[in-house]
């Protein structure tokens, strides 16, 4: 018999109702969460948790790469940046390289912040509201 977990049901329904842009934003947020957890694990010399979290971050970047439509020069540039981020995450994992981890994090933050702006602009154009659901300033 399956256990009815209201929180899990809520999370699943929330993800099912997201737009593709919002799902991409969720991927960036998840990637950043795992990068931060990996950094904490590095500081604590907990190499198993570091590895686990960096593999999760790498898998998110791989998902972003395979779902990216590379039919424009901008998209091709994004693919190259994703590949670079993936290589920095790999370096961080193999070599316990904090600088590589920070560099990857900076690029993911840039992508996330840019993507938030794109979503806000799109919502404003389509509905007259921003990400928070209220009117934008």
């Amino acid at each position: 018999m399956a256990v009815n977990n209201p929180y899990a049901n809520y999370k699943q329904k929330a993800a099912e109702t997201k737009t593709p842009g919002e799902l991409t934003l969720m991927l960036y947020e998840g990637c950043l969460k795992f990068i931060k957890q990996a950094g904490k694990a590095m500081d604590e010399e907990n190499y198993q948790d570091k590895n686990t979290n960096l593999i999760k971050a790498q898998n998110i970047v791989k998902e972003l790469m395979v779902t990216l439509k590379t039919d424009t020069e901008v998209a091709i540039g994004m693919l190259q940046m994703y590949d670079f981020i993936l290589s920095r995450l790999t370096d961080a994992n193999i070599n316990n390289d904090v600088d590589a981890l920070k560099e990857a994090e900076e690029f993911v933050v840039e992508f996330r912040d840019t993507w938030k702006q794109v979503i806000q602009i799109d919502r404003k154009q389509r509905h007259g509201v921003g990400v928070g659901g209220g009117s934008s300033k």
Side-chain angles (χ1 to χ4, degrees):
M1 181 167 127
V3 176
N4 187 8
N5 181 338
Y7 180 70
N9 289 339
Y10 170 78
K11 282 182 69 173
Q12 181 178 349
K13 292 293 181 197
E16 290 172 356
T17 60
K18 298 285 185 196
T19 66
E22 291 167 331
L23 291 173
T24 300
L25 182 61
M26 288 175 66
L27 287 173
Y28 289 135
E29 294 287 357
C31 188
L32 286 170
K33 176 180 98 173
F34 295 127
I35 288 172
K36 289 178 191 305
Q37 289 175 351
K40 183 176 185 274
M42 272 185 181
D43 290 343
E44 297 169 354
E45 297 183 6
N46 183 338
Y47 301 113
Q48 183 174 346
D49 283 353
K50 174 212 66 166
N51 181 58
T52 298
N53 284 297
L54 283 175
I55 287 173
K56 289 177 181 181
Q58 290 168 13
N59 286 339
I60 289 172
V61 174
K62 289 176 187 175
E63 181 67 20
L64 289 165
M65 292 173 81
V66 299
T67 59
L68 183 64
K69 294 179 184 173
T70 55
D71 53 354
T72 65
E73 285 187 41
V74 170
I76 292 169
M78 286 178 68
L79 184 62
Q80 292 170 341
M81 289 304 303
Y82 287 153
D83 189 49
F84 177 76
I85 293 166
L86 186 60
S87 73
R88 298 310 286 156
L89 291 172
T90 302
D91 290 343
N93 201 5
I94 292 171
N95 302 315
N96 294 316
D97 187 340
V98 174
D99 292 334
L101 186 64
K102 287 180 182 177
E103 191 173 12
E105 181 179 13
E106 288 171 8
F107 281 107
V108 175
V109 166
E110 273 190 53
F111 272 109
R112 189 237 8 231
D113 291 349
T114 301
W115 202 251
K116 277 184 180 179
Q117 291 175 347
V118 168
I119 291 171
Q120 286 176 330
I121 291 167
D122 179 62
R123 281 190 179 169
K124 187 173 181 180
Q125 289 175 344
R126 290 188 302 134
H127 306 293
V129 297
V131 170
S135 61
S136 60
K137 295 178 183 175

